[in-house]
Amino acid sequence: ENIDQIVSLGGIAPLIALLREDDDEGKTAAAATLREIASLETYRADITKKGGIVPLIALLRDGSTEGKSEAAEVLHMLAFGNPSNEALMMKLGVVASLIAWLRESCDDEGKTNAVKALLFFSLNQDNQDEIIQKDGVAPLLAMMHEGSGEGCFMATLALANISKNVANKDKLAGSDMEDMIATIMEHNVDADQFETVGLFPRTIMAASLEEME
C-alpha cells in the first residue's frame, strides 16, 4: 500500500531527481525506494519513462557501497523482460560497471546483487561477448570459488551461459576455461543438469577436459 501511495502521489520523478542531485546517503535512500517500487512489475515502465536508467547506471558506477548494491538490483529488475531497457543499459556500460563493482565490493550482498544482474545479462550472446571483453570471467570465477551459496550458484550459471557457445570457448583464455570446468566439477554440478536446461553442453565440457589432460 505504501508503494502504491508513493506512485499515486507522483513520487517516482522526485526520487529519480534525488539520484542526480543528492549526496551519497540521499541517492542510496532514493535507489532503495525505487527498488521497492520496481519490485512491482506494473511500475517498472514508469521508472524507465521518467528517465531512471541513466542516473541508476551512474550510481552503479560512482556511488557508495550501499548505493551500488541498490542500483544493481533496480537495474536488474528494469531489464528483466524488457529488451529495450537491456539494450540501453548495455549501451551505457552496465556490464563494465557491474564487473568493476564485483571486483571492488567487500560486501557479500553487494557481490550477490552484481552477479545476479550479470547472470541475467549473460543470457544474451552479444552480452556474453561484452562480459568476456571487459574481463568479467576472473571475478565470476572468484565468486564461484569464494561466494555465498546463492552468489556462488549464480556465478556458476553465468559462466555456464558464457561457455555454452563454441565461439565463446575460443575467446576464453585456456586457464579460465580450465578453472571454470574444474570449479564446476568441484561443486558436484552434473554436466547433464546443465545440458538439460541448455546451459553447458557436454560436448564443450568433454572437449575442455581433453585439453586439460
Side-chain angles (χ1 to χ4, degrees), residues 43-65:
Y43 295 135
R44 293 175 188 172
D46 291 335
I47 297 173
T48 301
K49 289 176 183 177
K50 289 178 170 56
I53 289 177
V54 171
L56 283 166
I57 292 279
L59 184 62
L60 176 64
R61 184 182 62 244
D62 302 320
S64 65
T65 296

Side-chain angles (χ1 to χ4, degrees), residues 2 9 15 39 45 72 75 82 85 90 96 110 118 148 155 163 183 190 196:
N2 289 338
L9 292 173
L15 288 167
S39 68
L75 288 165
N82 192 314
N85 284 355
M90 291 299 298
L118 284 169
S148 65
S163 305
T183 305
D190 188 339
T196 299

Side-chain angles (χ1 to χ4, degrees), residues 67-113:
K68 289 180 179 181
S69 184
E70 295 287 359
E73 198 161 1
V74 182
L75 288 165
H76 174 213
M77 287 189 280
L78 295 180
F80 187 80
N82 192 314
S84 296
N85 284 355
E86 180 181 351
L88 175 58
M89 292 178 197
M90 291 299 298
K91 184 177 179 180
L92 294 171
V94 67
V95 162
S97 295
L98 286 168
I99 291 169
W101 172 225
L102 183 56
R103 288 183 183 277
E104 296 166 7
S105 178
C106 298
D107 173 63
D108 192 58
E109 182 179 357
K111 285 179 178 288
T112 298
N113 285 342

Side-chain angles (χ1 to χ4, degrees), residues 144-198:
M144 193 162 65
H145 280 298
E146 303 163 7
S148 65
E150 184 183 16
C152 173
F153 180 67
M154 288 190 293
T156 303
L157 293 181
L159 287 163
N161 282 337
I162 293 167
S163 305
K164 70 179 178 179
N165 296 303
V166 174
N168 283 347
K169 181 177 179 294
D170 294 334
K171 297 173 187 175
L172 289 165
S175 59
D176 287 338
M177 178 62 75
E178 291 175 13
D179 197 9
M180 180 163 43
I181 298 293
T183 305
I184 288 173
M185 294 177 68
E186 179 183 305
H187 284 79
N188 298 315
V189 177
D190 188 339
D192 288 330
Q193 293 176 312
F194 281 107
E195 189 166 34
T196 299
V197 294

